[in-house]
Amino acid sequence: MVAFPNSGWRKPAIRILDRPSIFLAGAVSALLLLWASFFFFSPSSKPTLCNCHHQPPPAVDLRSDPPISTFYDDPSFGYTLNKPIKNWDQKRKTWLQLHPTFKPGSPDRVFIVTGSRSTPCKSPTGDHYLLRFYRNKVDYCRTHGYDIFYNNVLLDPTMPSCWAKIPAVRAAMVAHPEAEWIWWLDEDAVFTDMEFKIPFHRYNDKNFIVHGWPKEVYVKKSWLGLNAGSFLIRNCQWSLDFLDTWADMSPGSVNFNKWESVLMNEFRHENDDQTALAYLLRKEHQQWGRKKMLIETGYYLEGYWVLIVDTLKNITERYLEVETSAGMLRRRHAEKVSERYGLLREPSLKDAGNEFGSWRRPFVTHFAGCQPCNGKHNPVFSGKRCREAMDVALNFADNQVLRNYGFVHRNLSDSSVVKPLPFDYPA
């Protein structure tokens, strides 16, 4: 690793006896520059001399939309669940052919969807925390070049509460054919590792990823074996068909009562989006489950806050220990190149582990049960405990962002006071 000492960069002194050598070197440099200018700008020079393999992909053209008919021009095509879509894979392929600047990077392109209720929060601090949760997501998207859509209206009035995510995700697929993955995140989920990126190369043959514990779902028949607050779904025909099936179990379906009886018998729990998803994974795995769906256990695509928050202070200290001995990780840099430093950090984390008991930063911390907007938290913990924990997690994440601006919070429990960082922190 390259160290950056506190003394900074020093300009070497020039001795009088060195001046003839400097003049000679300057003359040679001028001749070389003249020759290079003639060679590269001469009409006879060939552009193939440039190593184009290392050129960045062209910027997407946001102003081009050729006047050629696509699925958007079909009056029978729609964004709502009551208008089934067929041949979506071909429709997307045709659209991308007409918009070629979106092709580079398209296999890993992500569009994040989140949202909340349309009315003000009943809890006095609810809107404050929702704003901070959203800002956290925007920070992550800015760091990695992702787009995000915050929805706070019911796109389908027959699918309220937790079910509202399904029509929102479906509409996002149609509105963003350039995105390969749609990522739903509940409003109370926090990115607590701003550097981590989803390993999409592991999902080449999968279309739906959710965090959980397979044994709990497949063997113990527990609806708590997964959490539907964070999931990835590929933008493809398979996914549209799956969303139709999932929506058929919702209150907006004529089959809702039938599914309510089935799920109560299977899981001893009411029919909600998570119980329905667990059923589709468990009972329909030949069609939906193990072929194209995956319960991720390798990292916190969604981690339960009760198990995480009290470990964040220790994690901060461990990361600072690593940076103390690794000068490159302490280097000041522009926010736009933050991904580079996340890659540089990985070798230092090979023995950190992951998920519970690890000292690696948890990727996503989910405040399930806290209900910051309506204030109706799970009775097993207090509202005060929720608020204090949310402050700690949000400040933990915020510190990773603020460092790019030269500041950090003095402590994880104080959201308002920050301190400037000295050069080469934490040397």
Side-chain angles (χ1 to χ4, degrees):
M1 293 295 181
V2 179
F4 294 86
N6 286 317
S7 58
W9 300 101
R10 292 184 178 179
K11 185 177 180 180
I14 299 176
R15 295 180 300 165
I16 299 297
L17 294 176
D18 293 333
R19 286 180 178 174
S21 299
I22 294 172
F23 293 147
L24 178 60
V28 172
S29 299
L31 287 173
L32 288 173
L33 180 61
L34 180 62
W35 175 83
S37 300
F38 173 81
F39 182 80
F40 284 106
F41 293 102
S42 170
S44 62
S45 62
K46 297 181 181 180
T48 53
L49 292 172
C50 170
N51 187 352
C52 298
H53 294 292
H54 296 289
Q55 297 301 309
V60 295
D61 190 344
L62 301 178
R63 297 186 177 185
S64 173
D65 195 20
I68 299 173
S69 180
T70 69
F71 60 88
Y72 287 117
D73 300 294
D74 181 356
S76 66
F77 185 89
Y79 299 81
T80 55
L81 285 159
N82 62 352
K83 291 190 174 183
I85 297 175
K86 301 299 180 184
N87 301 317
W88 178 238
D89 295 339
Q90 183 57 49
K91 288 179 170 68
R92 279 192 67 221
K93 181 179 179 180
T94 300
W95 189 92
L96 284 169
Q97 289 172 343
L98 293 172
H99 302 79
T101 63
F102 287 94
K103 283 188 176 181
S106 59
D108 294 340
R109 186 169 290 128
V110 180
F111 186 78
I112 293 180
V113 182
T114 185
S116 61
R117 59 194 295 168
S118 58
T119 56
C121 291
K122 294 182 180 179
S123 169
T125 60
D127 290 307
H128 166 74
Y129 281 109
L130 290 192
L131 177 61
R132 294 193 67 192
F133 282 130
Y134 180 54
R135 183 223 150 167
N136 167 265
K137 295 177 178 67
V138 171
D139 285 339
Y140 183 83
C141 289
R142 188 179 64 255
T143 299
H144 297 284
Y146 295 163
D147 288 328
I148 187 169
F149 171 54
Y150 192 105
N151 177 51
N152 67 341
V153 294
L154 283 178
L155 301 184
D156 186 334
T158 68
M159 300 178 72
S161 187
C162 57
W163 293 98
K165 66 186 68 171
I166 296 178
V169 167
R170 187 188 187 279
M173 286 185 178
V174 178
H176 287 272
E178 81 287 355
E180 182 67 14
W181 291 94
I182 306 298
W183 184 359
W184 171 264
L185 270 173
D186 276 3
E187 72 274 20
D188 55 356
V190 180
F191 286 105
T192 36
D193 189 344
M194 306 304 280
E195 293 176 342
F196 187 86
K197 291 194 71 173
I198 289 177
F200 286 107
H201 63 277
R202 290 167 46 178
Y203 308 143
N204 289 336
D205 61 343
K206 302 298 180 183
N207 292 335
F208 189 96
I209 316 297
V210 66
H211 180 259
W213 302 269
K215 185 177 180 180
E216 295 294 316
V217 175
Y218 294 119
V219 179
K220 296 184 178 180
K221 296 197 241 182
S222 172
W223 65 280
L224 293 173
L226 55 83
N227 192 291
S230 174
F231 63 81
L232 299 160
I233 186 166
R234 192 183 295 275
N235 195 352
C236 65
Q237 184 65 51
W238 180 97
S239 298
L240 287 171
D241 295 340
F242 173 75
L243 290 176
D244 287 342
T245 300
W246 196 4
D248 185 58
M249 306 170 81
S250 74
S253 169
V254 296
N255 296 316
F256 177 73
N257 290 333
K258 179 194 80 171
W259 285 115
E260 190 169 43
S261 175
V262 169
L263 296 177
M264 184 61 72
N265 181 65
E266 187 75 17
F267 292 101
R268 298 291 185 265
H269 190 263
E270 64 181 345
N271 182 4
D272 61 18
D273 66 314
Q274 185 166 304
T275 315
L277 179 59
Y279 181 87
L280 291 174
L281 275 158
R282 178 176 146 70
K283 300 295 287 187
E284 304 292 337
H285 62 267
Q286 290 302 319
Q287 179 181 1
W288 301 116
R290 295 176 184 172
K291 287 184 178 180
K292 292 295 181 181
M293 300 177 75
L294 174 69
I295 298 179
E296 178 60 75
T297 61
Y299 62 92
Y300 276 128
L301 183 61
E302 176 277 340
Y304 187 37
W305 67 273
V306 172
L307 302 177
I308 289 175
V309 168
D310 291 337
T311 70
L312 296 182
K313 184 177 184 295
N314 179 61
I315 290 173
T316 297
E317 293 172 352
R318 294 296 299 270
Y319 271 63
L320 290 178
E321 288 175 8
V322 169
E323 292 176 14
T324 300
S325 60
M328 197 64 176
L329 294 177
R330 301 197 302 273
R331 185 189 183 195
R332 288 177 177 174
H333 58 81
E335 186 178 51
K336 282 292 187 182
V337 295
S338 294
E339 281 193 0
R340 165 66 175 165
Y341 294 86
L343 293 174
L344 289 174
R345 193 187 303 277
E346 279 303 310
S348 302
L349 299 175
K350 62 181 180 180
D351 298 323
N354 222 325
E355 294 206 336
F356 185 68
S358 164
W359 60 269
R360 178 189 285 267
R361 292 169 181 159
F363 183 33
V364 175
T365 301
H366 187 198
F367 285 88
C370 277
Q371 300 293 331
C373 191
N374 62 31
K376 298 179 181 178
H377 55 81
N378 190 318
V380 301
F381 38 76
S382 67
K384 182 175 182 289
R385 168 62 174 152
C386 279
R387 290 189 295 273
E388 290 175 347
M390 288 188 290
D391 283 334
V392 168
L394 287 163
N395 291 336
F396 177 84
D398 202 26
N399 274 347
Q400 298 167 49
V401 177
L402 286 177
R403 277 191 66 171
N404 294 317
Y405 297 82
F407 296 85
V408 291
H409 291 280
R410 289 184 181 274
N411 65 71
L412 297 182
S413 298
D414 192 336
S415 301
S416 60
V417 180
V418 297
K419 63 179 180 180
L421 293 178
F423 182 75
D424 206 30
Y425 173 85

